[in-house]
Amino acid sequence: MAAVRIVTTTRTAAGRAMAYLATAVVVSAGTLVVGPSTPAHAANPIVNRFAADPSMLVSDNRVYIYATDDATNSGTYWDSTAWRVYSSADLVNWTDHGAPFSLSGFSWARQYAWAPEAVERNGYYYLYLPVDRTKIGVARSTSPVSGFVDARSEAMIEKGRDANTGEEPIDPAVFVDDDGQAYMYFGTRTPKVVRLNPDMISTSGAIQNVTITGSTVYGEAPHLHKRDGTYYLSYSTGWPGQIHYATATSPLGPFTYRGVILDYTNVSTNHQSIAEYNGQWYIAYHRNGLPGGSDFRRSLAMEYLSHNPDGTIPRVAQTSTGVGNPVPGINRLQSYNFTDRYVRHVNFDVRIDPNVSPAADAQWRIAPGLANSASGYVSFESVNHPGYYLRHVNNDLVLAAADGTAAFAASATFRRVPGLADSTAASFQSYSSPDRYLRHYNYLLRLDPISTAIGRADATFHITS
């Protein structure tokens, strides 16, 4: 018979859990170079070649990633001479299509093949390519992977020739709105935007500054995506930089700072691309992830991205597994000694309850551990709050948005072991406090050392579908 303990004190679950969730904000190419089509590997990094500054393009039920080809640089500076393109239909098996364009394709360019952007429109694929640290050119083709030629025979944006280009007109990002109007965002230290004509190779009107209000700083790498009528401008805060985001009701802003999407990576630059594919949002970025890598020899990575019901974006955790595995199935955690009760979240606190409503509050995706993805290590992601995980704070379990930090990952990772009360069930040992196990006490979930029969029963769960 299960022992019943009497609760003699009351915890303010909602207020305490929300305090845990609060976060602080800081700071107010014509010569075609085609390589073999060879398969690359899944998980992070997603390909085995040094590449960076990804731009995702969804076309014909495939995702294309255009990137700076770091493998062509000196290894001592960002002096690449070509770009690279990869594609995948399942985001697990990637094909390397070689270099769709190189510096020599622009007769007027000399050096620095930097962060590309790709757009499909009018029956063409367009590549917007910054060179020389002072110019942005555009190449065009009817194929997404080959045949690109200079579409203008001169730069589309050029410092010194054009007004208000800023210090470095680099990192172009093109967005086509629902009304057909296209915009190009670019620039360092001050974000810029200019309208594009329907031909996609010429501009309309003056280059404008983009206003971002709130506690943030803009460095480079602007990117715009739209969801449910809201415009999301994401960008790197500098060198090194986080990926922040701001929202607006117009593609021209003004934008209001909302938060951090991606934390600092292990290189001095940060650059992102966000896209929706088959109903799921993804973020591509770069970091040091291959042997011999460095600030100048970076690697491509990809993670799942989600939007909360209120439209905000939870921080994305940087993982080794990336999107190289199918989305985990949906499970419930049934208490071993209170079999009518299941682990659920309520007001971001975590407990065991019977008759959970809504049912999704007791549904979890058991994913590879955020801090250790080796076999046996797991993290529990909420089904109805994607990007939110079970984590412990002062040995108490709460539901919180992954913030991309190592501390969060460690507190949200557990080692699955045979059930302490029944080896056919499961128990979960804390990754960061290995002397403690996940257990319920007064129906609330926490971490404790386990030494009694009651404790072993409280720390044992059945995983059900």
Side-chain angles (χ1 to χ4, degrees):
M1 178 177 177
V4 178
R5 290 175 295 272
I6 304 300
V7 181
T8 58
T9 60
T10 301
R11 299 196 305 174
T12 56
R16 178 176 43 76
M18 291 307 293
Y20 293 153
L21 295 172
T23 56
V25 294
V26 295
V27 297
S28 152
T31 300
L32 181 64
V33 185
V34 180
S37 294
T38 56
H41 73 286
N44 286 330
I46 62 173
V47 295
N48 281 317
R49 185 182 177 94
F50 293 122
D53 306 319
S55 169
M56 285 193 286
L57 169 65
V58 177
S59 177
D60 292 332
N61 203 36
R62 291 187 74 83
V63 174
Y64 293 85
I65 290 185
Y66 299 81
T68 302
D69 187 17
D70 277 7
T72 65
N73 72 31
S74 64
T76 59
Y77 191 66
W78 302 284
D79 48 10
S80 300
T81 59
W83 295 271
R84 205 79 177 177
V85 59
Y86 304 89
S87 76
S88 176
D90 60 9
L91 307 186
V92 173
N93 301 289
W94 289 87
T95 297
D96 181 352
H97 298 281
F101 203 69
S102 71
L103 271 175
S104 60
F106 289 142
S107 61
W108 41 268
R110 297 181 298 109
Q111 58 187 352
Y112 305 148
W114 284 3
E117 169 71 330
V119 173
E120 180 184 8
R121 198 179 189 194
N122 306 328
Y124 288 97
Y125 296 87
Y126 298 87
L127 288 181
Y128 300 87
L129 305 168
V131 295
D132 296 343
R133 300 181 65 170
T134 58
K135 308 178 186 75
I136 298 173
V138 56
R140 182 174 61 188
S141 175
T142 57
S143 165
V145 298
S146 63
F148 285 91
V149 296
D150 186 351
R152 291 175 50 97
S153 300
E154 64 174 351
M156 188 168 73
I157 299 291
E158 183 172 352
K159 182 179 178 180
R161 183 195 71 189
D162 305 320
N164 197 32
T165 62
E167 184 175 340
E168 287 183 296
I170 63 171
D171 294 353
V174 174
F175 170 78
V176 181
D177 209 349
D178 299 333
D179 62 3
Q181 178 61 60
Y183 303 85
M184 184 168 73
Y185 302 80
F186 64 92
T188 61
R189 296 172 179 84
T190 300
K192 308 289 183 178
V193 62
V194 65
R195 289 180 174 88
L196 299 184
N197 287 317
D199 64 9
M200 300 298 286
I201 64 172
S202 60
T203 62
S204 174
I207 297 171
Q208 304 175 43
N209 291 343
V210 177
T211 299
I212 306 172
T213 61
S215 186
T216 186
V217 62
Y218 173 88
E220 61 178 352
H223 177 84
L224 197 82
H225 76 276
K226 184 179 182 181
R227 179 181 177 273
D228 293 344
T230 297
Y231 298 87
Y232 293 79
L233 179 70
S234 53
Y235 49 92
S236 171
T237 57
W239 308 272
Q242 295 174 310
I243 300 300
H244 286 195
Y245 79 103
T247 61
T249 57
S250 162
L252 297 175
F255 289 85
T256 301
Y257 171 66
R258 298 299 182 191
V260 179
I261 294 179
L262 192 72
D263 209 347
Y264 303 100
T265 66
N266 56 358
V267 291
S268 62
T269 58
N270 210 341
H271 192 112
Q272 82 297 348
S273 179
I274 295 170
E276 185 180 20
Y277 181 58
N278 291 338
Q280 170 67 52
W281 287 90
Y282 299 90
I283 182 170
Y285 62 105
H286 65 236
R287 65 188 192 203
N288 182 354
L290 289 173
S294 67
D295 278 351
F296 310 110
R297 295 281 176 86
R298 299 159 292 182
S299 304
L300 297 175
M302 182 180 286
E303 312 287 359
Y304 297 107
L305 179 138
S306 61
H307 299 78
N308 292 321
D310 64 359
T312 57
I313 300 176
R315 283 203 197 192
V316 173
Q318 299 173 35
T319 70
S320 60
T321 52
V323 298
N325 295 303
V327 176
I330 296 173
N331 294 102
R332 295 192 298 170
L333 295 178
Q334 180 187 32
S335 169
Y336 172 76
N337 51 354
F338 293 91
T339 56
D340 63 333
R341 292 176 179 262
Y342 293 82
V343 174
R344 60 88 54 91
H345 61 81
V346 56
N347 294 326
F348 299 103
D349 202 6
V350 185
R351 54 180 295 119
I352 58 171
D353 273 341
N355 306 316
V356 177
S357 180
D361 285 357
Q363 295 174 347
W364 308 92
R365 298 191 190 277
I366 304 179
L370 296 179
N372 185 339
S373 60
S375 177
Y377 289 91
V378 299
S379 292
F380 299 95
E381 183 183 17
S382 168
V383 165
N384 55 354
H385 290 288
Y388 282 67
Y389 292 81
L390 290 187
R391 71 168 298 189
H392 63 84
V393 179
N394 296 327
N395 297 322
D396 186 39
L397 267 292
V398 298
L399 184 72
D403 62 12
T405 64
F408 183 99
S411 70
T413 299
F414 304 87
R415 186 169 73 94
R416 178 178 172 175
V417 299
L420 299 182
D422 181 345
S423 62
T424 66
S427 293
F428 300 96
Q429 180 185 27
S430 170
Y431 175 79
S432 55
S433 300
D435 62 326
R436 294 174 180 266
Y437 291 81
L438 184 68
R439 60 90 56 93
H440 62 80
Y441 187 89
N442 292 332
Y443 304 133
L444 299 167
L445 255 67
R446 56 176 292 108
L447 289 184
D448 271 340
I450 302 299
S451 59
T452 67
I454 291 178
R456 287 190 288 273
D458 287 352
T460 300
F461 301 87
H462 290 289
I463 299 174
T464 66
S465 61

